[in-house]
Amino acid sequence: MKSSEWPLVIFSLAIQLSAGIMVIYDLFILFPMYRSRVAFPSKYHWILLIALGAALVGVIFSFLHLGNPTNAPRSLSNIGTSWLSREITGVLIYSALLMGTTILHFVMPSAGRSLKWLVDLTALTGVILIFIMSKIYMIPARPAWNSVFTPLGFYMAAIVMGASLLLLFQINHGSWASQKSLAILTISIPVIQLAILPIYMSWLGHPDFAGGKGLAILLHNHLIAFYLRLVLYLLAIAFGFWAFFTIRSDTTQNRLLFAPALLAWASILAAQIVDRLLFYTQNISPEGF
Amino acid sequence: MSTFGFFCDTSACSGCKTCQVSCKDKNDLDAGIRFRRVYEVVGANWNKTDEGAWEHDIVAYNLSIGCNHCENPACVKACPTKAMHAELDGMILIDPNKCIGCRYCEWACPYGAPQYNKLKGIMQKCDFCRDYVLEGKPPACVSSCPMRVLEFGPISQLIEKHGDNRSVYPLPDPSITRPALFIRKHPGAKLAKKLNASIINREEVKE
Amino acid sequence: MGKQNRRDFIKKGAVAGGVVLTSPIWFPDALGFSPGQAVAPGLSQNGWIRAGCPAHNCGGRCLLKLLVKDGIITRIETDDRPGDTVADPQLRACIRGRSYRRRQYHTDRLKTPLVRNGKRGEGKFREATWDEALSIMAAEMVRVRSKYGNESIFVPYGTGSYSHLNGRWPAARLMNLIGGALEYYNSYSWACISKATPTVYGTTTTGNQRQDWLNSKYILMWGWNPAEMRDGTNSEFFIKKARENGARVVCIDPRMTFSAVSLADEWISIRPGTDTAMMSAMAYVMYKEKLYDSDFVRTHCVGFDSTQMPKGVEDEESYVDYLLGKFDGQEKSPQWAAPITGVPSETITRIAREYATTKPAMLYQGYGMQRRAYGEQPVRGGCVLAAITGNVGIHGGWASGIAHQPGGEPFWSIFPTGTNPVKAKIPTFLWSEAVTRGTTLTAKEGLTGVDKLNSNIKFIWSVASNILMNQHGNVNRSGRILENESMVEFIVVQDQFMTASARYADLVLPVCTHFETWGLEDGWKYGEEVILMPQIVQPLGLAKSDYRICADLAARLGVYEAFTEGLDERGWTHKLWDEYRRTRFPNLPPFEQFVESNQGVYSVPVSDPKISFEEFRKDPIKHPLQTPSGKIEIFSKTLFDMGMKEEIPAVPKYIQEWESPFGPEAKAYPLQAIGPHYMARVHSTHDNVDWLREAFPQRVFINPIDAKDRKLNDGDRVLVFNDRGKISLPCRVTPRIMPGVVSIPQGAWTKPGPDGIDRNGNINILSSERWTPLAFGNAQHTIMVEIKRSKN
Ligand SMILES: Nc1nc2c(c(=O)[nH]1)N[C@H]1C(S)=C(S)[C@@H](COP(=O)(O)OP(=O)(O)OC[C@H]3O[C@@H](n4cnc5c(=O)[nH]c(N)nc54)[C@H](O)[C@@H]3O)O[C@H]1N2
Ligand SMILES: Nc1nc2c(c(=O)[nH]1)N[C@H]1C(S)=C(S)[C@@H](COP(=O)(O)OP(=O)(O)OC[C@H]3O[C@@H](n4cnc5c(=O)[nH]c(N)nc54)[C@H](O)[C@@H]3O)O[C@H]1N2
Ligand code: SF4
Ligand code: SF4
Ligand code: SF4
Ligand code: SF4
Ligand code: SF4
Ligand SMILES: [Mo]
């Protein structure tokens, strides 16, 4: 695999991890508390820090990807037509929002509940940002990317990375329901990804589509990575189940959850990295131009 | 909405790549950067006959392609910095002072025209030999072709002379970018799809 | 600006960049620019200077325009003379000419004389001054000459330079002034075709001027690939024009060549070395179906059938006897030829009919198929087909054979080399025999001028040549011969790069490029032009022109005045120019005026192309050929009288090659390997040019069927081998070559690794030193190999 793709792999996964954390945090943790009018515990603030850290890693790697970073500010000048410009703008807005949210949470720990709208906004920006990111790849000149599989893949990556990470950080606190639902997400996304794979592959292999070259590249040049990804998915599912069944109703006594949740999260992260690397191998022009 | 275009008679292009190198000379390009590329399209069936002889159905032809200075340039649309831009005369150029080397235009172009310069960290591309054209000279590649299969001129004139065909197997659907590239088809192109033809000289056109 | 506006912008001739654009000029054929500042050539001039492309032995002769800035060539363009008509076309350079800066300014250029200080062939040298180098050389030359005589000195074939006063010509002149050297005759290029053509026609001038191709209605490109080897600048362009005039073009070649792709309506894949079988079968069809031109055969030919046999051999095998199998019991039918040639019998029949009935028609023979075991046969076979279809001496026809153009033998150098006091001549290809066993050579091995040589070759002065270790058959054998210092006692190589041959030298002399000295060139094989090659930049390092080196050596040998006649390079160029004005080009402008004009090329438009045999055709009695019978000799009594009918038959025959897919050798080595002349190189010249390597890397081309048998994927590194050696290079899997045949473009530099395996893909590691029976020519294309995947 070409090393030049690593910055993009890390950039995109980091941003998606960050947005995934925000979305899951917002929907699965804050939202139930909000509804049941519980006060927001300040111990969640460091989750924001992690999301922020991931976003910053993403920003740094997006620079590393550039051949001539000195001109980087110019990349904001074409949001009119360029999805890349929009993405960079989006990343900046998202990071700024996230940073603002985080800072506010830290400086006004008591404001908790009243800052929910900021978390909502950041998460929503994240969701939009992922859409923008996928639009970058949905171009006729890269037919293997130019399909609904791309946004689907990005969203699933975000959700599963966010969910599994939050599951890990829910150990010993959080509700039984949220732990269970995060575990279910951790299991079901790899299951969906596995289920989609044959559909995706048969689409890739269709002779009308770049002569089936995408599939050929997957199966001839990257067979090991291809199998590795399958194994990692299966592992993630297995660990997910393990985690699911270790969840006790007394959520403060869930020490046993740690090992499976960590393993699930690690295998999911690894699977997404391999997945993303394989995604970039599909950088094929029509017919090889 | 380009004003100028190229014409390539693929029925008579030998694949000699004089155009490619004359361009490299004009633009001082190191090996690995090709503003003009010559793609070799080949498809065939070989069968041994009862007599012990060989029969073949075969098509082969070449496509010499620079940048097509498209009327609907995907590269320009994609470029985040506007480094890739259309001049008033329709030529698509890269402003090296604006380019950040993100390589997005390279993805967006269905013709492989943008060429990344690793040393400089920026994208480069066929500029239609704009300096020559403005001087009243033909582009280096056009005047180099020993087979005289390359031409250039205002789009309207090219269409008048050669008709408005902008594609031949396996070039992308011209509706994507409206390339200012006009093509006379090689007679073999009719069979290309049937014979499962493809570009077979990857190592010659890409790094 | 809206769409409408942009169109208007052009139509109205708006001002852009200060230049007014008006629409009608935008078609290239209407363009005749003389852009930029033109200046008279000469050193330290800035601007565009016109000069000939360095005259290596490339198949073309083209005009370059070089942009010089502060003594450096900064850009190269080509002929931009307005018009570009068929009569006087632009001499557009090929990819090699356009890449020349990368050769000119290559970091590996030799810049100083080198003296060997390791074992011979080891490649260890020390730097030396010119004075030391030339003193050593002169001393060795005198020593060897006094010990073994002038016959022991050899200036081998070498085609690196055809600029009239560079390359081996000045070396030949110098040798002739100091008692001569062993001479050679014929070439690596054309041994068989130049020998066999006159056996049919009594001359090598069998061609028409190329503009006449436009009159043809049917063109068989038989093993001929002008789009890649050019065969005279613009040959490919003329065939394109002939097609536009309605000619049908068929290419017969084991490979679907550049020409097959861009110039032909049909490609027929033929097994190498079997052309005469297909030709015979075509003649068979024509005979059986009475499609041949019986009137022409009756009046202009001998030996076609038994009624036409020369005196004294009336009962011998006529051509028709051969076709019908009267003597050998085998009819040469298409069904017979199909399994031999790999061409289906219906195809052979159809091509025979097409060629015999479409008038006028050309059968143009390439030279690759005569660089083979019985390379004389397809030459004679092609000539006979041209003759029996009556395509001789007519517009749009073509007599086949070597086809020099009337009034324009290839001159290639008019530099006066003088006469060689040594009368002995060997066939070019047999130099390695003359090294190992020169004194045993006889007329049977082609020795002429003397019955016996007095000495083996003891001194080699290799100028503009990479024959020694690259271009001759069986390089590993050459290496064993040359590294033995008791055989050849002194070797001088005069080149621009450290070639494989230079590595085997005792003394390496650095030569400047053609841009660094004066010279002159004319058409490679065709063409009515003379191209000036002014000096436009200074030589690199201590490099000198071939002429200057020879002159300096002449001074040490006491013949400076006789050698130089008081002239330097420019002076000689002037003198040769005047010679042309006196002879071939009476309207050539005076030298100084031409130099001043910076025109670069003087050409004579050909609007009424000359054709060969026009008078013979009209009246064969009044204008007989130079053959013994005065007619076209389908049966050659001269050949018959040689009494070697198995290998030198009197009528053209298919003879199974000594290495063939039908022989026992095919068991171990089932693939035929051919070494075509590659776009990226002129032989071995340019092999180190990165732009050319990028465009056309060295590879072995193999059909998917053969690749599959050997589990090879496109791009895999493979080992190609036979008993003579091994090479390792990447493979290109392509259906553009017929199954059973692989192609390894000839000319890659020999670069053996420590294990003796060549890693650059020089086909001559695999080729053989065996020569053809009649012409003593190189049969380097006749080899069998096997291929397998290689680890490194
Ligand atoms: N680019 C380039 N041009 C050159 C040269 C060069 O090195 N590079 N060299 C120049 C020189 S010195 C010469 S002598 C000429 C050589 O010119 P040629 O001898 O004509 O060139 P080759 O490539 O050896 O052979 C021509 C064709 O013959 C085919 N061939 C080989 N064996 C057979 C056979 O048995 N039967 C048939 N029918 N075809 C066969 C090959 O596939 C090839 O396409 O080229 C000149 N032009
Ligand atoms: N297997 C196989 N072998 C072949 C052939 C084949 O078809 N197959 N073809 C044969 C044919 S047709 C030919 S003509 C021969 C050609 O064989 P050669 O005549 O040896 O030609 P090159 O290999 O080009 O070597 C010419 C050398 O001259 C040098 N040179 C260039 N310019 C100058 C100059 O101005 N002065 C000096 N002193 N040196 C200069 C170049 O650097 C180069 O090293 O090869 C033959 N060998
Ligand atoms: S120079 Fe002309 S013939 Fe040669 S590859 Fe380019 S377009 Fe084709
Ligand atoms: S060919 Fe590619 S780079 Fe050129 S204008 Fe069209 S889309 Fe842009
Ligand atoms: S590489 Fe340069 S020209 Fe291309 S899209 Fe990026 S900024 Fe624009
Ligand atoms: S127009 Fe100029 S820059 Fe473009 S491909 Fe031709 S030579 Fe190169
Ligand atoms: S054909 Fe020969 S003379 Fe012409 S440009 Fe090519 S190498 Fe130079
Ligand atoms: Mo040659």
Side-chain angles (χ1 to χ4, degrees), chain A residues 20-286:
Chain A
I21 292 172
M22 292 312 289
V23 169
I24 299 293
Y25 172 56
D26 195 28
L27 290 181
F28 286 80
I29 293 168
L30 284 193
F31 183 65
M33 290 195 234
Y34 191 78
R35 257 208 337 205
S36 49
R37 300 184 184 277
V38 191
F40 288 4
S42 59
K43 57 188 158 201
Y44 282 116
H45 295 172
W46 42 260
I47 286 177
L48 295 177
L49 258 188
I50 292 177
L52 181 62
L56 292 183
V57 166
V59 170
I60 289 167
F61 274 85
S62 74
F63 272 88
L64 287 184
H65 159 70
L66 300 182
N68 183 20
T70 47
N71 272 341
R74 290 189 190 274
S75 60
L76 304 178
S77 53
N78 196 17
I79 42 174
T81 66
S82 169
W83 284 103
L84 182 57
S85 203
R86 289 170 191 164
E87 178 198 58
I88 297 165
T89 314
V91 167
L92 293 182
I93 293 174
Y94 170 78
S95 307
L97 275 175
L98 183 51
M99 185 165 311
T101 315
T102 312
I103 291 171
L104 281 180
H105 274 85
F106 275 95
V107 296
M108 303 192 294
S110 54
R113 271 185 82 86
S114 57
L115 289 177
K116 164 106 172 43
W117 64 272
L118 248 181
V119 178
D120 289 347
L121 186 63
T122 312
L124 182 67
T125 313
V127 170
I128 296 170
L129 177 56
I130 292 175
F131 175 74
I132 292 175
M133 286 175 94
S134 62
K135 282 302 274 185
I136 286 185
Y137 301 89
M138 294 168 74
I139 41 178
R142 290 295 178 274
W145 286 340
N146 189 14
S147 80
V148 70
F149 291 110
T150 298
L152 210 60
F154 284 7
Y155 279 119
M156 287 196 295
I159 290 167
V160 74
M161 285 189 297
S164 55
L165 186 68
L166 279 165
L167 174 64
L168 188 58
F169 287 109
Q170 284 253 297
I171 291 164
N172 293 341
H173 50 261
S175 68
W176 180 85
S178 68
Q179 285 186 357
K180 279 282 180 199
S181 48
L182 290 179
I184 288 170
L185 274 179
T186 303
I187 296 163
S188 56
I189 299 244
V191 169
I192 297 173
Q193 285 182 313
L194 276 179
I196 287 179
L197 202 59
I199 309 172
Y200 172 65
M201 283 172 63
S202 70
W203 173 78
L204 260 192
H206 193 277
D208 273 356
F209 161 73
K213 256 176 232 108
L215 189 63
I217 287 174
L218 272 192
L219 297 183
H220 290 292
N221 305 10
H222 304 286
L223 196 60
I224 295 175
F226 180 78
Y227 281 122
L228 181 65
R229 176 176 61 171
L230 292 187
V231 170
L232 289 168
Y233 278 151
L234 291 172
L235 281 178
I237 294 168
F239 293 134
F241 272 109
W242 182 13
F244 183 84
F245 289 115
T246 47
I247 294 169
R248 297 284 169 268
S249 51
D250 179 358
T251 54
T252 57
Q253 293 302 315
N254 262 338
R255 240 173 269 286
L256 284 179
L257 183 55
F258 182 74
L262 183 68
L263 287 170
W265 181 75
S267 42
I268 277 175
L269 193 65
Q272 296 310 323
I273 291 173
V274 178
D275 193 285
R276 196 53 53 89
L277 280 166
L278 288 174
F279 173 82
Y280 283 108
T281 67
Q282 299 297 305
N283 177 0
I284 29 179
S285 50

Side-chain angles (χ1 to χ4, degrees), chain B residues 129-195:
Chain B
C129 287
R130 197 160 189 275
D131 51 345
Y132 279 16
V133 171
L134 294 184
E135 260 176 49
K137 273 179 73 170
C141 53
V142 169
S143 61
S144 80
C145 176
M147 285 292 230
R148 284 80 162 168
V149 306
L150 292 178
E151 293 174 22
F152 84 107
I155 287 180
S156 51
Q157 283 192 20
L158 291 176
I159 292 179
E160 206 172 296
K161 191 168 169 197
H162 301 291
D164 191 357
N165 172 50
R166 305 186 187 210
S167 184
V168 62
Y169 184 89
L171 278 173
D173 185 337
S175 69
I176 301 176
T177 64
R178 297 281 301 157
L181 170 69
F182 300 89
I183 298 245
R184 178 174 301 141
K185 293 188 184 182
H186 191 282
K190 284 195 291 284
L191 290 169
K193 205 172 163 123
K194 207 182 109 211
L195 289 172

